[in-house]
């Protein structure tokens, strides 16, 4: 299997198996444009993110070999949940957010969907303020407008599950 | 560096309704996204997919003992209240439901003062919206997930004694019964409520009207059943459901109990027979949905031991409906752990059936393992007033709010009320 070399923003080099590299639409485009012997530069990707991406595909291959199921075809169920529980446990919210951006940039569809699911789990019990912080969203309501929403949906702001 | 709007949309479309309502506050962009019809549709489709594979919410209507805060019950003499409670059931859990807590739906007045179970009926649900019949003549749409309620405008039908035209008939109309159905019209792309009323006397009258959410108004529909001596209606017809564009009710026809259907798109009524010749005497049937088809569950009117139930599925050959195939016999259930089961409520998975059991408990019966798990829902009074529907958590708006104004409850609690819930038209 042909190996594709990539270099991340912090100068680290990785050798990816060709079929893994082709999962990234961005890398695939580069490969089509340039020679496969050249190193592909990924200035927007950090090495820790690349490690995580490789980890994902290694795990997928492991599970596929073990269960004999094509990962892409079996998206629901315990198969996916068990995998996801492991994948993001050492990632902070901000890490996950960065990884999400990177995977979107690289155009890796299958991992993107998983990360969106993980991000949704992280986000669902957040307060409005921590949500704004995480997504870097600018607060653009007037105090009156915000107060009105908080009053109309007061029940949505209460509950033991909402993180402080 | 921010993630794209598409990514934000993908993440948000996986969130539960409560989080989404709260996040309307994050910024105007998010608020507009959450309100947009395409997002609502995407969220609904994600929820429907999740509900068929991982988890589902159940809405119960049940009567419980009132929590006594003071002893001042001299006025009504009632110590019960009728509630709507919801329970979130997860497909993956194999353990008992001991940790589950039912959430009582906070409803606006006067719904929070309903005493008798027959005063409140769940009359259909679709895409997370539930249609409720309150007292007589009041229809409320509600989305429990976003706590929205809407009282529909009054009926456009003239009751015979309101209408001078009928005075010549010189017959005293004793009572009328009202039936409701709710669903989605895939042709007109709108949510519709259908109401039909049957007047009983020496002559029977059948009138029907349809409400559409888009127009927020009722209009009468023509049916061939007008003036026909066809139906004697039972006031207890809780056995009803919406399925793939058509609403179904169990009613009495001139050949006995049968099913009346209403196509939401074509707005046409039809009659479907029930295979009584193959069902034992002293058995009744309940309508339900099983394995993506319409099903009848036949059960004894009075519980017998050993217990067994049959499931029939409707054969769908094009437009011709009406033949049934017996698919499964549940039981005979033997086992000390299995309580006396009175009636099926709803399938929340293809192999798990919610049922009302003795002592006012609700259980989930597993068809394959033949085991029973108790749910944290109980009821008092007659079992046939307890209802359950499996609904999906959606953010589909009915343009309602959190208040209800103008519910008419005077007729019912006055001297016009008959014990079984039928209104005496005076």
């Amino acid at each position: 299997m042909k190996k594709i070399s990539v270099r991340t923003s912090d100068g680290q080099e990785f050798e990816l198996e060709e079929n893994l590299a082709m999962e990234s639409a961005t890398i695939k485009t580069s490969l089509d444009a340039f020679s496969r012997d050249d190193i592909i530069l990924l200035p927007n990707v950090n090495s820790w993110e690349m490690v995580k991406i490789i980890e994902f595909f290694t795990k997928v291959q492991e599970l596929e070999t073990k269960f004999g199921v094509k990962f892409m075809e079996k998206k629901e169920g315990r198969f996916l949940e068990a995998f996801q529980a492991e994948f993001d446990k050492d990632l902070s919210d901000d890490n996950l957010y960065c990884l999400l951006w990177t995977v979107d940039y690289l155009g890796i569809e299958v991992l993107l969907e998983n990360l969106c699911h993980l991000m949704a789990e992280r986000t669902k019990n957040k307060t409005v303020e921590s949500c704004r912080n995480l997504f870097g969203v600018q607060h653009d309501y007037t105090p009156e407008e915000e107060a009105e929403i908080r009053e109309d949906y007061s029940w949505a702001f209460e509950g033991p599950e909402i993180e402080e | 560096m921010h993630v794209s709007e598409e990514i934000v949309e993908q993440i948000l479309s996986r969130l539960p309704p409560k989080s989404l309502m709260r996040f309307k506050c994050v910024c105007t962009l998010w608020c507009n996204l959450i309100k947009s019809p395409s997002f609502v549709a995407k969220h609904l489709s994600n929820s429907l997919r999740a509900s068929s594979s991982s988890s589902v919410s159940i809405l119960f209507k049940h009567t419980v003992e009132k929590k006594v805060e003071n002893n001042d019950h001299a006025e009504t003499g009632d110590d019960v209240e009728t509630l709507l409670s919801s329970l979130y059931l997860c497909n993956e859990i194999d353990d008992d439901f001991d940790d589950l807590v039912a959430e009582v739906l906070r409803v606006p007045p006067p719904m929070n003062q309903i005493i008798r179970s027959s005063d409140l009926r769940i009359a259909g649900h679709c895409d997370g919206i539930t249609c409720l019949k309150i007292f007589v003549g009041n229809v409320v749409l509600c989305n429990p997930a976003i706590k929205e309620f809407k009282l529909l405008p009054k009926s456009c039908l003239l009751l015979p004694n309101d209408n001078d035209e009928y005075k010549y008939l010189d017959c005293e109309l004793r009572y009328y019964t009202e039936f409701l159905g709710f669903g989605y019209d895939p042709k007109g792309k709108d949510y519709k409520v259908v109401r039909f009323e049957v007047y009983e006397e020496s002559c029977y009258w059948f009138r029907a009207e349809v409400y559409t959410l888009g127009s927020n108004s009722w209009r009468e529909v023509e049916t061939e059943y007008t003036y026909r001596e066809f139906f004697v209606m039972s006031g207890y017809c809780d056995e009803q459901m919406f399925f793939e564009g058509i609403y179904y009710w169990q009613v009495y026809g001139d050949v006995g109990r049968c099913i009346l259907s209403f196509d939401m798109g074509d707005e046409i009524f039809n009659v479907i027979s029930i295979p009584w010749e193959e069902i034992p005497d002293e058995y009744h049937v309940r309508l339900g949905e099983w394995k993506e088809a319409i099903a009848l569950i036949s059960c004894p009117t009075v519980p017998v031991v050993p217990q067994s139930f049959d499931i029939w599925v409707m054969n769908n050959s094009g437009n011709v409906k009406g033949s049934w195939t017996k698919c499964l016999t549940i039981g005979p259930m033997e086992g000390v752990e299995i309580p006396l089961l009175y009636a099926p409520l709803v399938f929340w998975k293809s192999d798990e059936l919610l049922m009302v059991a003795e002592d006012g408990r609700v259980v989930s019966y597993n068809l394959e393992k033949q085991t029973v798990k108790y749910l944290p829902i109980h009821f008092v009074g007659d079992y046939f007033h307890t209802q359950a529907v499996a609904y999906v958590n959606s953010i589909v708006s009915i343009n309602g709010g959190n208040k209800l104004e103008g519910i008419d409850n005077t007729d019912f609690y006055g001297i016009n009320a008959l014990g079984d819930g039928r209104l005496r038209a005076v």
Side-chain angles (χ1 to χ4, degrees):
Chain A
M1 181 78 55
K2 185 85 197 279
K3 299 269 193 188
I4 311 286
S5 296
V6 300
R7 187 184 293 151
T8 55
S9 60
D10 44 349
Q12 213 172 325
E13 281 181 23
F14 292 87
E15 281 204 332
L16 306 175
E17 304 227 339
E18 186 173 359
N19 60 347
L20 189 161
M22 297 298 255
E23 289 285 348
S24 160
T26 310
I27 294 179
K28 184 169 184 299
T29 312
S30 289
L31 287 175
D32 290 343
F34 302 107
S35 155
R36 275 152 199 254
D37 295 323
D38 292 342
I39 292 186
I40 296 179
L41 300 176
L42 300 173
N44 290 328
V45 182
N46 206 290
S47 59
W48 73 264
E49 292 166 336
M50 187 50 73
V51 167
K52 257 336 218 186
I53 293 168
I54 295 174
E55 181 189 314
F56 172 80
F57 282 105
T58 314
K59 188 75 178 172
V60 166
Q61 214 148 29
E62 223 178 83
L63 289 170
E64 282 182 353
T65 317
K66 184 171 170 188
F67 292 105
V69 172
K70 272 272 159 242
F71 181 71
M72 271 54 111
E73 284 159 34
K74 196 165 165 57
K75 294 193 177 162
E76 283 92 26
R78 288 189 170 146
F79 180 79
L80 183 64
E81 276 169 36
F83 165 75
Q84 284 180 337
E86 284 298 305
F87 184 72
D88 76 327
K89 80 179 176 202
D90 54 344
L91 293 176
S92 71
D93 289 349
D94 289 324
N95 281 159
L96 189 59
Y97 186 85
C98 288
L99 184 59
L100 186 57
W101 187 95
T102 300
V103 169
D104 183 32
Y105 163 75
L106 287 174
I108 307 176
E109 278 306 312
V110 58
L111 178 51
L112 191 60
E113 208 182 301
N114 275 282
L115 291 179
C116 283
H117 182 91
L118 287 171
M119 201 67 201
E121 286 299 304
R122 295 276 183 115
T123 311
K124 74 183 184 196
N125 290 330
K126 285 199 180 313
T127 60
V128 170
E129 292 77 14
S130 61
C131 212
R132 282 184 192 136
N133 284 337
L134 180 57
F135 286 85
V137 167
Q138 193 75 321
H139 171 205
D140 62 350
Y141 278 117
T142 66
E144 294 81 29
E145 285 168 341
E146 181 163 342
E148 197 181 324
I149 300 178
R150 282 181 184 264
E151 199 193 307
D152 286 343
Y153 296 104
S154 57
W155 56 272
F157 289 83
E158 307 157 9
E161 81 281 2
I162 299 175
E163 299 156 6
E164 265 319 305
Chain B
M1 113 227 120
H2 293 134
V3 295
S4 65
E5 259 182 61
E6 286 80 26
I7 300 286
V8 169
E9 189 173 334
Q10 275 218 49
I11 296 169
L12 293 183
S13 69
R14 290 170 156 86
L15 293 179
K18 185 174 177 181
S19 311
L20 286 172
M21 295 303 108
R22 184 166 70 249
F23 293 160
K24 277 184 174 180
C25 215
V26 166
C27 66
T28 54
L29 185 76
W30 280 36
C31 186
N32 291 332
L33 173 65
I34 293 168
K35 286 195 294 200
S36 71
S38 59
F39 178 80
V40 171
K42 190 172 161 70
H43 181 269
L44 176 63
S45 124
N46 281 348
S47 292
L48 287 168
R49 215 165 0 119
S51 76
S52 62
S53 65
S54 58
S55 55
V56 71
S57 290
I58 314 277
L59 186 70
F60 292 92
K61 180 206 77 163
H62 58 138
T63 306
V64 299
E65 304 90 357
K66 213 175 204 170
K67 291 193 173 71
V68 183
E69 292 193 353
N70 56 50
N71 283 319
D72 188 9
H73 290 299
E75 252 178 76
T76 56
D78 293 296
D79 50 3
V80 296
E81 53 181 350
T82 297
L83 305 173
L84 289 169
S85 300
S86 69
L87 205 56
Y88 185 69
L89 294 178
C90 198
N91 249 345
E92 309 297 336
I93 296 177
D94 275 337
D95 315 315
D96 289 330
F97 294 129
D98 290 340
D99 295 332
L100 285 184
V101 176
E103 188 194 323
V104 176
L105 185 63
R106 275 198 306 213
V107 295
M111 281 177 70
N112 57 349
Q113 294 146 26
I114 291 178
I115 299 167
R116 281 187 288 204
S117 201
S118 49
D119 290 344
L120 170 68
R121 282 209 196 131
I122 299 174
H125 70 101
C126 177
D127 293 348
I129 303 171
T130 306
C131 179
L132 305 169
K133 179 162 125 70
I134 300 176
F135 306 124
V136 177
N138 302 291
V139 182
V140 168
L141 291 181
C142 120
N143 184 332
I146 56 175
K147 316 268 189 276
E148 232 186 62
F149 297 85
K150 183 193 180 80
L151 176 66
L152 300 194
K154 291 246 169 279
S155 166
C156 75
L157 298 177
L158 288 175
L159 298 188
N161 48 311
D162 291 337
N163 192 340
D164 288 340
E165 220 179 273
Y166 297 124
K167 289 219 163 100
Y168 76 91
L169 288 169
D170 197 27
C171 56
E172 200 186 280
L173 286 147
R174 275 213 299 266
Y175 28 60
Y176 74 88
T177 24
E178 170 189 58
F179 287 86
L180 288 175
F182 172 71
Y184 184 71
D185 168 13
K187 292 181 187 150
K189 297 203 195 312
D190 203 354
Y191 293 99
K192 282 183 174 168
V193 179
V194 57
R195 173 201 257 133
F196 67 91
E197 288 162 349
V198 178
Y199 314 110
E200 274 187 77
E201 222 338 291
S202 52
C203 39
Y204 301 106
W205 308 83
F206 183 102
R207 304 282 292 280
E209 57 180 338
V210 154
Y211 167 92
T212 55
L213 193 61
S215 73
N216 192 30
S217 63
W218 296 91
R219 71 183 143 74
E220 185 159 2
V221 287
E222 294 300 317
T223 86
E224 62 185 52
Y225 300 119
T226 316
Y227 310 143
R228 239 172 96 172
E229 290 183 20
F230 200 106
F231 295 109
V232 173
M233 298 300 188
S234 155
Y236 284 144
C237 282
D238 282 333
E239 295 92 314
Q240 50 178 257
M241 56 177 279
F242 174 74
F243 184 75
E244 287 182 358
I246 301 182
Y247 205 86
Y248 301 87
W249 302 265
Q250 231 193 110
V251 297
Y252 280 115
D254 53 3
V255 289
R257 248 182 146 163
C258 60
I259 293 170
L260 183 68
S261 74
F262 181 77
D263 185 314
M264 292 285 178
D266 299 331
E267 297 186 358
I268 293 179
F269 284 96
N270 238 316
V271 174
I272 299 165
S273 57
I274 292 174
W276 290 112
E277 63 281 357
E278 295 177 65
I279 293 173
D281 293 340
E282 301 305 308
Y283 268 56
H284 67 270
V285 296
R286 292 189 62 128
L287 264 179
E289 188 182 331
W290 184 58
K291 291 195 171 171
E292 293 171 15
I294 304 169
L296 293 175
I297 308 171
S298 67
C299 38
T301 319
V302 175
V304 295
V305 177
Q307 312 180 86
S308 81
F309 304 87
D310 291 326
I311 302 180
W312 301 71
V313 167
M314 188 192 286
N315 302 321
N316 260 342
S317 44
N319 274 329
V320 178
K321 293 192 162 105
S323 62
W324 302 84
T325 308
K326 191 196 290 197
C327 277
L328 184 67
T329 297
I330 305 172
M333 299 178 206
E334 327 233 40
V336 190
E337 301 84 37
I338 305 218
L340 206 57
L341 299 169
Y342 289 115
L345 287 172
V346 67
F347 279 101
W348 65 277
K349 280 200 286 184
S350 60
D351 60 348
E352 293 262 359
L353 177 60
L354 292 189
M355 305 189 76
V356 269
E358 61 187 336
D359 298 337
R361 312 275 311 259
V362 173
V363 302
S364 181
Y365 177 75
N366 185 303
L367 269 59
E368 270 159 54
K369 298 183 201 159
Q370 303 194 358
T371 53
V372 142
K373 278 190 275 187
Y374 286 90
L375 263 61
I377 297 274
H378 74 282
F379 64 94
V380 297
D382 293 317
Y383 71 85
F384 44 75
H385 282 307
T386 300
Q387 287 180 282
V389 296
Y391 73 98
V392 73
N393 281 309
S394 80
I395 56 172
V396 179
S397 174
I398 45 178
N399 305 319
N402 47 21
K403 290 191 175 52
L404 282 177
E405 270 137 40
I407 286 198
D408 188 353
N409 66 349
T410 52
D411 286 334
F412 202 85
Y413 283 126
I415 53 170
N416 300 325
L418 296 177
D420 61 334
R422 287 178 289 184
L423 176 72
R424 186 181 287 261
V426 165

